[in-house]
Amino acid sequence: MSFDLVLFGGTGDLAWRKLMPALFQAFRHGSLPAGGRIIGVARDDLSDAQYRELIQSRFKAVEGAKRPSPEEFEKFADLLHYLRMDLSKPADYERLAQTLQERDADTVVMYLATAPSLFTQTVERIAAAGLGGPKTRVVLEKPLGHDLASNRAINAAVGRVLKEEQVFRIDHYLGKPSVQNLFAMRFGNALFEPLWRREYIASIEITIAEDLGVEKRGAFYDQTGALRDMVQNHALQLLCAVAMEPPINAHADALRDEKLKVLRSLKAWTPESIGMHAVRGQYTAGTAYGERVQGYLQEPGIDPASRTETFVALRAEIANWRWAGVPFYIRTGKRLASRDARIEVNFKPTPHAIFRAPAGASANKLVINLQPKDGLELHLLAQAQNSRKRSGDGTQPLATVQLDLDFGQRFGTERVGAYERLLLDVIDGRLNLFVRSDEQEEAWRWVEPLIEAWQNDSGPRPYAAGTWGPSASSAMIARDGLAWSEEQ
């Protein structure tokens, strides 16, 4: 199957940092279909050879094992081409159309790695140039809009020129191996499904923590914030993966129908619940990697009077029979104590304890590690084998043990990265791991009351860089008699 992948924003940060390494890995693994062509599109005045040199120089910053050797890159470079375009000029789209029609590939993928404000204009001009036919697929990066109204406007504009099955709204967390194995664990095994409900689960925590600051994204991030950048998309997609009902099959719409039901079941925010169950923060100067780092307001591109949040912690509930009364805790932030993304499923204790557990020992817990570690941990209580420690009835006390499955060790080089998997799915036309427009709108609907409330509040709470966020986050979860995992 021949394909053309047109990468709008082909010289940008996302292109060289994520997309090109992913495409190279697919090429190295032999999974990239033969007969492919990758066309970088940007305003820079470059030849094909200069573009290849640029991409090769960028690969020097890629993780060692994923970096191509000179021989490998020489072969990969044959796929790379470049076309100078000004996305505001219709004539440049005509040139793109001519370039694509000369080859007439079986599939044409348009990846919009550009500012979201350009999505509508770009998609409309793609269609006006005659490039919106059935073999075209358009990939849209997040955030898709700034609020519910802008998201609906983008989806409406895209829907006027493309069919829903041609639109691939990407959320790279859905491509992570651990998230894929979450689906496999839940729907490919009989072990957990009987326990996956309110009768057995006490709470669920979703953490997406970053130890970096805003880096070079200050101007973008200050207009976005943690709620729009992480919660509206990544965190809610993870919540859906954990909480959704078993779909009738593995087809895209069956999966997305069940995720949509979860989003529609989230309890709506009220002024009272926002005050009690929503915390936002902004990092100040602190310590990271053993060095002093500046606060958010001192970062390049940030308004010194900015009220943008870099941390969010929320308590959510799903109003359906499976999850009624089970709290879901979501937190995400920048400049936190470590880089750590995970989902923790905390099970209820045994109804009648006949063994003595050590002080502070938690009940059973399942941890789905997303990054930097990738795997599953099952925490159990087992009898300690120490002849000197016995209870009054002669039994040994219980101790915490865990079963640890590291996907990196188990599957090694067989593992496929998130963007690699998702790019291959776009080329093959598989929509399972992409977000449908009604899903996206429901997610925006749920977070919009927070956006509105935070416009008029006293501003985000400060927290020192290198910590786990403002103390109000700990107080929020403590009201339920619980604590974040690092505080237990």
Side-chain angles (χ1 to χ4, degrees), residues 393-448:
D393 59 4
T395 60
Q396 300 284 352
L398 300 182
T400 302
V401 297
Q402 68 185 59
L403 305 176
D404 192 347
L405 172 60
D406 187 320
F407 292 141
Q409 293 182 4
R410 171 58 183 86
F411 299 111
T413 57
E414 300 172 34
R415 297 165 70 220
V416 176
Y419 271 105
E420 180 183 350
R421 178 186 296 275
L422 294 172
L423 285 165
L424 291 173
D425 280 357
V426 177
I427 293 169
D428 289 340
R430 293 191 294 267
L431 284 157
N432 300 52
L433 302 180
F434 296 85
V435 183
R436 205 167 56 193
S437 60
D438 50 4
E439 279 184 80
Q440 219 169 42
E441 290 187 14
E442 281 300 319
W444 277 113
R445 177 195 58 76
W446 188 70
V447 303
E448 191 155 63

Side-chain angles (χ1 to χ4, degrees), residues 353-416:
I354 62 172
F355 295 103
R356 179 170 58 87
S362 60
N364 303 145
K365 177 168 65 175
L366 176 68
V367 181
I368 300 107
N369 290 307
L370 304 174
Q371 66 181 28
K373 187 179 177 180
D374 178 13
L376 299 173
E377 298 173 16
L378 183 59
H379 294 241
L380 304 168
L381 293 175
Q383 205 166 66
Q385 300 302 308
N386 189 328
S387 60
R388 293 173 296 176
K389 293 184 179 180
R390 293 180 179 272
S391 61
D393 59 4
T395 60
Q396 300 284 352
L398 300 182
T400 302
V401 297
Q402 68 185 59
L403 305 176
D404 192 347
L405 172 60
D406 187 320
F407 292 141
Q409 293 182 4
R410 171 58 183 86
F411 299 111
T413 57
E414 300 172 34
R415 297 165 70 220
V416 176

Side-chain angles (χ1 to χ4, degrees), residues 135-158:
K135 67 179 183 180
T136 295
R137 294 157 191 162
V138 175
V139 183
L140 301 178
E141 269 284 349
K142 63 92 178 173
L144 204 63
H146 197 69
D147 54 18
L148 179 59
S150 59
N151 176 257
R152 284 175 170 165
I154 292 172
N155 280 330
V158 171

Side-chain angles (χ1 to χ4, degrees), residues 171-176 178-180 182-183 186 204-208 230-244 259 262-263 328 330-331 341-343 368 370:
D171 187 325
H172 73 271
Y173 267 71
L174 291 178
K176 286 183 175 291
S178 289
V179 178
Q180 296 306 295
L182 171 59
F183 287 120
R186 286 200 58 197
I204 294 177
E205 297 175 22
I206 298 172
T207 295
I208 308 175
M230 299 298 290
V231 175
Q232 183 273 333
N233 38 72
H234 299 328
L236 287 184
Q237 284 295 318
L238 294 178
L239 184 147
C240 288
V242 171
M244 63 188 281
K259 289 195 292 174
V262 173
L263 293 168
F328 286 73
I330 297 170
R331 65 173 172 172
R342 64 184 182 274
I343 302 168
I368 300 107
L370 304 174

